[in-house]
Amino acid sequence: GYGGGGGGGRRWSGPPPPSGPGPVRLHIGRLNPDTDRRTLEDLLDRFITSNLDVKMGFAFVDFDDAGEAEDAIYELNGRTVDGESILVQYARTQPGEDRRRGGRGPPRGYGPPGGYGPPGGYGPPGGYGGGYRGGNGGGYRGGYDRRSPSRSRS
């Protein structure tokens, strides 16, 4: 058995989990520009992370264990930090991929028809607790909405 699967209510958006073994990178978006590294370190304190890269308004965090990364998504996605509801999802570029691709061009395997959300359609069978149900009204639609203030400044 898969140990239950934990009931419904899981909202899924963004890229699917990486299928291979090895480290997993998460993207943390919609951060308050004032949120600093220490705040995020405190937030991630109970998870085993290997790297934290904080930018203005977003961050990337690497996990050596895919299960830890999955737990972090479920616990932190939608959490309010410094007054902003943050978005936590798998990063589009996983550790080790950037070197192979040179960082340019669309990531392989994104956007094919039917590529998102078939029942149990993420990763190897049984690899992620029996597959996500993809549903419950869609949750966050369209990933992160880039409300970047940089262009409007004069």
Side-chain angles (χ1 to χ4, degrees), residues 23-43:
V24 176
R25 178 170 295 155
L26 297 187
H27 173 269
I28 304 175
R30 295 188 188 146
L31 289 175
N32 185 319
D34 296 332
T35 299
D36 60 10
R37 182 185 181 92
R38 186 183 172 87
T39 302
L40 291 176
E41 285 174 347
D42 289 347
L43 191 70

Side-chain angles (χ1 to χ4, degrees), residues 124-135:
Y128 288 93
Y132 301 115
R133 279 181 230 50

Side-chain angles (χ1 to χ4, degrees), residues 9 45 72 79 83 87 117 136 143 153:
D45 185 50
R79 170 94 53 102
L87 174 70
N136 197 12
R153 272 196 205 121

Side-chain angles (χ1 to χ4, degrees), residues 25-128:
R25 178 170 295 155
L26 297 187
H27 173 269
I28 304 175
R30 295 188 188 146
L31 289 175
N32 185 319
D34 296 332
T35 299
D36 60 10
R37 182 185 181 92
R38 186 183 172 87
T39 302
L40 291 176
E41 285 174 347
D42 289 347
L43 191 70
L44 294 161
D45 185 50
R46 61 173 296 276
F47 302 103
I48 302 164
T49 61
S50 57
N51 184 42
L52 176 62
D53 186 15
V54 182
K55 311 285 190 191
M56 173 70 91
F58 65 96
F60 292 102
V61 59
D62 293 349
F63 294 79
D64 287 332
D65 180 70
E68 285 280 312
E70 187 184 343
D71 289 346
I73 288 178
Y74 291 130
E75 290 198 26
L76 303 179
N77 189 25
R79 170 94 53 102
T80 300
V81 178
D82 291 336
E84 297 289 334
S85 176
I86 64 172
L87 174 70
V88 183
Q89 62 184 9
Y90 292 101
R92 291 184 187 283
T93 304
Q94 291 299 318
E97 280 186 12
D98 6 54
R99 287 189 292 281
R100 281 204 307 272
R101 272 207 320 272
R104 276 192 274 293
R108 283 169 303 137
Y110 282 85
Y116 290 94
Y122 290 101
Y128 288 93

